[in-house]
Amino acid sequence: MDFLIDRLPLYLEGAGVTFTITVLGIALAFVLAMAIGILGTLRNPVARGVATFYTETFRGIAALVLMFWMAFSIPQITPYQLDVNFAAVLALGLNVGAYGAEVVRSSINAVPRAQTEATIALNMTWARRMWLVLLPQAWAQMLPTFGNLVIELMKASAIVSLIGVADLTQVARLQGQSSGETIWAFGSALIMYFIIAQVLILGVRLLERRANRRLGRAPAGGGLLALLRPPSVGTTTGGAR
């Protein structure tokens, strides 16, 4: 316990770097997932080709290899040197965004066809149809999987130390080497990773609860403890009849 108390500022600093990279990576992955996922639902073959190329390319490349390439190969083929933190965010965002794009595409396609036909009958534009009808319903379906991707990205951020980022894993490794207290060094990091994961999970649960409430599927009861229950899927505002 004294080990963690004495080195807590170092661990908090490393955890801050890990959390920042995770949040920025999530933001980039989300933007890419929404844009590429929507492109994948269009009838335009060029748009679908772009979406397919992106998803298949970045799902097929290991995040670590992509990170090494951005941090160490780009300076050799261009006159530019990427900051290691930026390279980490870019690699993680591109990789996870490819998985997220498939989640978005499949969730939009899962919306009942009758909904789309109704909007066409109402003479809605594509933008209004997507924003007002399709995305709100698809959003509730994609959030649970997005939550898994968020946690996967956070755990994948542990590899950023290999390109020189002073994250939580790097702090634990250095403290373990300098003190010889390997169990305490990495045990402390494990606890902090768990805490970060719980914060992210709580954020996703809040979004799930809000999305399901808008669709009339919020679970009964309120308060923080309600977030521990899985969102209700089969209920509606009118209840079972």
Side-chain angles (χ1 to χ4, degrees):
M1 184 61 66
D2 292 338
F3 177 93
L4 180 58
I5 294 175
D6 293 340
R7 295 165 174 79
L8 185 60
L10 291 174
Y11 277 90
L12 290 178
E13 184 177 352
V17 173
T18 292
F19 187 77
T20 300
I21 288 176
T22 299
V23 171
L24 293 177
I26 290 169
L28 176 60
F30 176 77
V31 171
L32 290 171
M34 294 300 294
I36 301 300
I38 291 174
L39 278 181
T41 65
L42 301 180
R43 294 184 177 181
N44 188 309
V46 175
R48 292 203 310 272
V50 170
T52 301
F53 175 80
Y54 168 77
T55 55
E56 296 304 324
T57 298
F58 288 101
R59 283 196 306 176
I61 299 176
L64 178 59
V65 175
L66 184 61
M67 200 176 299
F68 272 118
W69 192 84
M70 290 182 173
F72 305 124
S73 297
I74 286 183
Q76 296 183 10
I77 60 178
T78 70
Y80 302 102
Q81 171 74 55
L82 294 182
D83 178 78
V84 290
N85 292 281
F86 178 73
V89 170
L90 194 57
L92 292 173
L94 287 169
N95 183 260
V96 176
Y99 291 94
E102 282 297 288
V103 175
V104 173
R105 184 189 63 80
S106 60
S107 297
I108 293 175
N109 288 337
V111 176
R113 179 66 182 171
Q115 299 283 341
T116 303
E117 294 174 350
T119 60
I120 294 174
L122 293 173
N123 201 29
M124 282 188 176
T125 63
W126 175 87
R128 287 176 60 81
R129 179 164 67 244
M130 182 64 66
W131 182 254
L132 297 177
V133 179
L134 299 181
L135 277 181
Q137 297 181 69
W139 177 243
Q141 295 185 50
M142 65 180 75
L143 270 174
T145 308
F146 271 171
N148 291 334
L149 293 178
V150 164
I151 300 304
E152 289 300 321
L153 190 149
M154 186 276 296
K155 293 190 294 184
S157 71
I159 64 177
V160 302
S161 61
L162 297 177
I163 62 171
V165 177
D167 72 325
L168 186 54
T169 300
Q170 178 83 318
V171 171
R173 185 177 63 82
L174 293 177
Q175 293 304 311
Q177 290 177 350
S178 62
S179 66
E181 298 285 347
T182 305
I183 295 177
W184 276 106
F186 285 99
S188 302
L190 185 148
I191 293 171
M192 289 194 167
Y193 272 115
F194 178 79
I195 293 173
I196 293 173
Q198 298 315 301
V199 171
L200 295 174
I201 289 172
L202 179 61
V204 174
R205 285 290 176 86
L206 287 170
L207 291 175
E208 286 184 44
R209 185 174 175 81
R210 180 178 179 183
N212 282 294
R213 184 185 293 116
R214 291 184 63 182
L215 295 177
R217 300 188 301 205
L224 186 61
L225 291 179
L227 298 175
L228 301 178
R229 295 193 294 269
S232 176
V233 176
T235 59
T236 62
T237 52
R241 294 186 181 274

